[in-house]
Amino acid sequence: MTRNGKIELMAPAGNFESLQAAIDSGADSVYFGVEQLNMRARATINFTLEDLPEITRRCSKRNIRTYLTLNTIIYDHDLSIIKTVLDTAKESGVTAVIAMDQAVIAYARQITMEVHISTQINITNIEAVKFYSLFADTVVLSRELSLRQIKKICLQIGKEGVKGPSGNLIEVEVFGHGALCMAVSGKCYLSLHSHNSSANRGACKQNCRKKYTVIDQESGFEIELDNEYMMSPKDLCTIDFLDQIIDAGVKVLKIEGRGRAPEYVATVIKTYREAIDSYYEGTFTKEKIDVWMKALEKVYNRGFWGGYYLGQKLGEWSDGPGTQATQKKVYVGKGVHYYPKPGIAEFKIEAYDIKVGDTLLITGPTTGVKELQLDQMMVDDLQTAMAEKGNNCTFPTGFKIRPSDKLYKIVKE
């Protein structure tokens, strides 16, 4: 569902910190998994069924849609769990379920819960859209499609009046930013073969992110490769051609990142929010794109490329095992107390020192993600320029902090 006629911005949420970050940063919708039946079962600390009412409570206050991911392969022994999860989601007011297994789709329809078709189904043409319109109101197209192909499908949906169970035209969703898998939209069995840990059950061991040497078994000759990380794609980034995605008729832009840190969610969602609003205001410019790209480069990434949307060459591979972010966070300490009248927070410094001038990051399940510049602080009721390990320090924040909050400082890589 578009927001005030704009493309919907969908944010990932792997925990309550990320959920709050998404809410505060301008997301129109959030998607999340519960327990183990989702494609990020190992990558992050998933929510539990007991968390669903709190998730929907926070989101409904801001008119944000909630999507539950149940998009793994389902076996017979999972069926009773699936029904319990979907029943609880329905009772909790979750907006829709993202699914790929027919058992999930069928039961969701039975209890009249909105369904979104996951990219694992590999929808690549209008006839497939028509078929799944019998069950779903939103379809996530295959990631292998170009923008030209996506635009044609969107035009045909309107031309032929392809509607979902809600009676509204089917909405097309695409991935806009974040990690790409070497299998793109398909199923991968590398992890299953090597570790008996199925990627298609959300338990990927990320074989493709490692360095390999290719050896000619006949001669023992090691084949030299231009890129040692030959199976690890760069991250998807579409902000520089976001206008073309919107013009193609796409209704939902999905951001990857349920396994990434809350500040990643905050930065990426805030940046794409600005870009989307800028497009509709008629101020989407090259100069702004340059600023947005620099913001995106600050948080975890493996380098960027535009996927297959622009019909570019097959794949672009990362040249290192981890992030290419231009900055990182360093743990400093934890929250102690908040003094509401003066708006001052107290923290216990447990690791690195902090000093006036530092950029600080505060995260917590209720606080979400907050960034601030440290202009002044006190230790033992005395004004100071530095707080050391073991100190309790206080400084103004302007927002409430909690004992569960963690304090970090941002340093350049």
Side-chain angles (χ1 to χ4, degrees), residues 56-73:
T56 56
R57 184 192 69 80
R58 291 195 195 187
C59 291
S60 62
K61 283 171 62 177
R62 302 281 284 272
N63 199 28
I64 293 171
R65 289 161 63 86
T66 49
Y67 305 137
L68 172 67
T69 58
L70 280 175
N71 57 343
T72 60
I73 290 174

Side-chain angles (χ1 to χ4, degrees), residues 10 12 31 143 174-180 235-239 245 253-257 260 264 268-269 271-272 292-293 296-297 299-301 303-305 309:
M10 188 197 301
Y31 68 102
R143 297 198 208 190
V174 303
F175 286 84
H177 191 92
L180 281 173
D235 282 7
L236 177 66
C237 178
T238 63
I239 205 156
I245 289 178
L253 190 76
K254 183 176 187 176
I255 306 300
E256 273 279 14
R260 294 189 176 175
Y264 173 90
V268 175
I269 296 303
T271 305
Y272 274 85
W292 294 327
M293 286 298 295
L296 295 172
E297 288 167 358
V299 291
Y300 192 105
N301 70 85
F304 295 130
W305 75 297
Y309 291 126

Side-chain angles (χ1 to χ4, degrees), residues 168-210:
N168 299 317
L169 288 176
I170 284 284
E171 293 194 338
V172 163
E173 175 185 325
V174 303
F175 286 84
H177 191 92
L180 281 173
C181 170
M182 61 170 284
V184 193
S185 293
K187 297 180 178 68
C188 180
Y189 295 92
L190 279 180
S191 184
L192 181 65
H193 291 322
S194 64
H195 296 89
N196 195 32
S197 185
S198 176
N200 309 308
R201 296 273 290 172
C204 179
K205 292 288 190 179
Q206 295 209 321
N207 299 53
C208 64
R209 303 300 185 190
K210 299 174 182 177

Side-chain angles (χ1 to χ4, degrees), residues 8-287:
E8 177 181 319
L9 178 60
M10 188 197 301
N15 51 39
F16 276 111
E17 286 91 337
S18 293
L19 175 70
Q20 195 60 47
I23 292 170
D24 292 340
S25 300
D28 299 312
S29 58
V30 294
Y31 68 102
F32 49 87
V34 295
E35 315 296 346
Q36 297 300 307
L37 293 172
N38 68 90
M39 293 300 281
R40 292 295 181 274
R42 291 180 65 93
T44 187
I45 301 170
N46 286 291
F47 293 107
T48 65
L49 286 178
E50 289 73 26
D51 292 326
L52 290 179
E54 175 63 12
I55 293 170
T56 56
R57 184 192 69 80
R58 291 195 195 187
C59 291
S60 62
K61 283 171 62 177
R62 302 281 284 272
N63 199 28
I64 293 171
R65 289 161 63 86
T66 49
Y67 305 137
L68 172 67
T69 58
L70 280 175
N71 57 343
T72 60
I73 290 174
I74 302 299
Y75 296 122
D76 278 326
H77 66 261
D78 298 318
L79 294 176
S80 61
I81 301 173
I82 285 297
K83 291 179 179 179
T84 299
V85 170
L86 286 173
D87 286 341
T88 306
K90 173 82 172 176
E91 291 166 10
S92 301
V94 172
T95 307
V97 60
I98 302 172
M100 60 86 70
D101 192 286
Q102 284 74 16
V104 179
I105 295 169
Y107 189 71
R109 292 303 309 134
Q110 184 179 323
I111 63 173
T112 63
M113 188 172 186
E114 184 179 327
V115 174
H116 294 187
I117 299 298
S118 176
T119 190
Q120 277 79 22
I121 289 287
N122 293 116
I123 294 177
T124 56
N125 59 72
I126 187 61
E127 293 303 323
V129 172
K130 288 180 186 176
F131 176 80
Y132 285 105
S133 70
L134 300 171
F135 315 99
D137 289 293
T138 301
V139 295
V140 187
L141 296 183
S142 174
R143 297 198 208 190
E144 291 89 344
L145 294 181
S146 68
L147 273 180
R148 182 180 296 178
Q149 292 170 308
I150 291 169
K151 185 172 185 176
K152 184 175 181 182
I153 290 172
C154 292
L155 287 172
Q156 288 175 296
I157 288 172
K159 184 178 179 181
E160 300 185 34
V162 184
K163 297 179 179 179
S166 68
N168 299 317
L169 288 176
I170 284 284
E171 293 194 338
V172 163
E173 175 185 325
V174 303
F175 286 84
H177 191 92
L180 281 173
C181 170
M182 61 170 284
V184 193
S185 293
K187 297 180 178 68
C188 180
Y189 295 92
L190 279 180
S191 184
L192 181 65
H193 291 322
S194 64
H195 296 89
N196 195 32
S197 185
S198 176
N200 309 308
R201 296 273 290 172
C204 179
K205 292 288 190 179
Q206 295 209 321
N207 299 53
C208 64
R209 303 300 185 190
K210 299 174 182 177
K211 183 190 295 187
Y212 292 92
T213 301
V214 180
I215 301 174
D216 183 334
Q217 292 190 359
E218 289 185 11
S219 65
F221 175 71
E222 292 189 6
I223 300 175
E224 301 247 349
L225 301 170
D226 289 338
N227 184 355
E228 292 168 327
Y229 295 87
M230 58 179 288
M231 294 189 292
S232 180
K234 291 182 179 179
D235 282 7
L236 177 66
C237 178
T238 63
I239 205 156
D240 55 334
F241 56 92
L242 183 61
D243 52 340
Q244 295 181 55
I245 289 178
I246 297 173
D247 290 341
V250 172
K251 300 300 183 185
V252 185
L253 190 76
K254 183 176 187 176
I255 306 300
E256 273 279 14
R258 278 183 291 148
R260 294 189 176 175
E263 67 270 16
Y264 173 90
V265 176
T267 297
V268 175
I269 296 303
K270 179 176 180 290
T271 305
Y272 274 85
R273 175 80 274 150
E274 288 179 6
I276 289 170
D277 292 346
S278 181
Y279 169 85
Y280 289 99
E281 291 163 2
T283 59
F284 189 88
T285 63
K286 176 68 168 60
E287 291 72 26

